[in-house]
């Protein structure tokens, strides 16, 4: 019997991959990480809405829109891109936080 090939564009294989518990766990993990990261944003935008509320709403909207995606390659790309974006935001936020604390320490020493 010849080996079976996995073709990513077939609906059956796509559905199997989407139902894969690892993909769901990874998506849920990413969503939770986004929500934890959103808690750090306490500022308000021009309309007076807190950024953490706005970011949570946008994340939810993005995940809901992506829920019906059948292509496992696109799902994997979205997860990798989302994880990378969250890490970049966290790194920049941490750098800004360290810079602010350094500035506070310099001001105290004067």
């Amino acid at each position: 019997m010849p080996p079976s090939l996995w073709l990513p564009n077939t609906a059956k294989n796509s559905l199997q991959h989407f139902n894969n518990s690892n993909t769901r766990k990874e998506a849920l993990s990413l969503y939770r990480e986004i929500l934890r990261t959103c808690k750090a944003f306490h500022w308000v935008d021009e309309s007076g809405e807190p950024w953490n509320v706005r970011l949570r709403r946008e994340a939810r909207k993005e995940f809901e829109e992506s829920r019906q995606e059948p292509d496992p390659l696109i799902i994997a790309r979205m997860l990798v891109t989302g994880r990378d974006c969250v890490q970049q935001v966290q790194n920049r936020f941490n750098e800004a936080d360290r810079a602010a604390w350094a500035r506070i320490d310099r001001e105290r020493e004067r």
Side-chain angles (χ1 to χ4, degrees):
M1 183 160 116
S4 61
L5 295 175
W6 183 75
L7 301 173
N9 291 331
T10 62
K12 180 181 176 184
N13 290 333
S14 297
L15 186 59
Q16 285 175 351
H17 182 77
F18 186 68
N19 288 332
N20 185 350
S21 65
N22 288 337
T23 303
R24 288 176 179 258
K25 286 178 185 177
E26 191 175 344
L28 185 58
S29 172
L30 174 60
Y31 184 69
R32 288 178 177 160
E33 186 68 24
I34 290 170
L35 294 181
R36 281 191 293 271
T37 303
C38 288
K39 288 181 183 179
F41 291 85
H42 301 287
W43 306 276
V44 295
D45 63 4
E46 300 82 25
S47 64
E49 181 181 21
W51 272 102
N52 56 2
V53 173
R54 184 175 178 180
L55 292 171
R56 279 196 319 253
R57 185 179 62 241
E58 291 299 320
R60 176 69 180 205
K61 185 175 93 173
E62 291 287 331
F63 273 81
E64 287 295 330
E65 288 174 357
S66 302
R67 182 181 291 232
Q68 302 302 322
E69 180 58 55
D71 189 350
L73 295 177
I74 293 177
I75 292 170
R77 189 178 333 149
M78 287 189 290
L79 290 172
V80 168
T81 303
R83 182 69 65 190
D84 184 52
C85 289
V86 169
Q87 287 176 348
Q88 286 181 20
V89 167
Q90 289 171 341
N91 290 340
R92 289 180 184 168
F93 193 85
N94 290 336
E95 289 171 8
D97 191 47
R98 279 193 292 270
W101 280 108
R103 190 176 63 240
I104 290 170
D105 290 341
R106 283 193 307 270
E107 292 294 322
R108 280 188 194 153
E109 292 174 357
R110 286 191 205 186

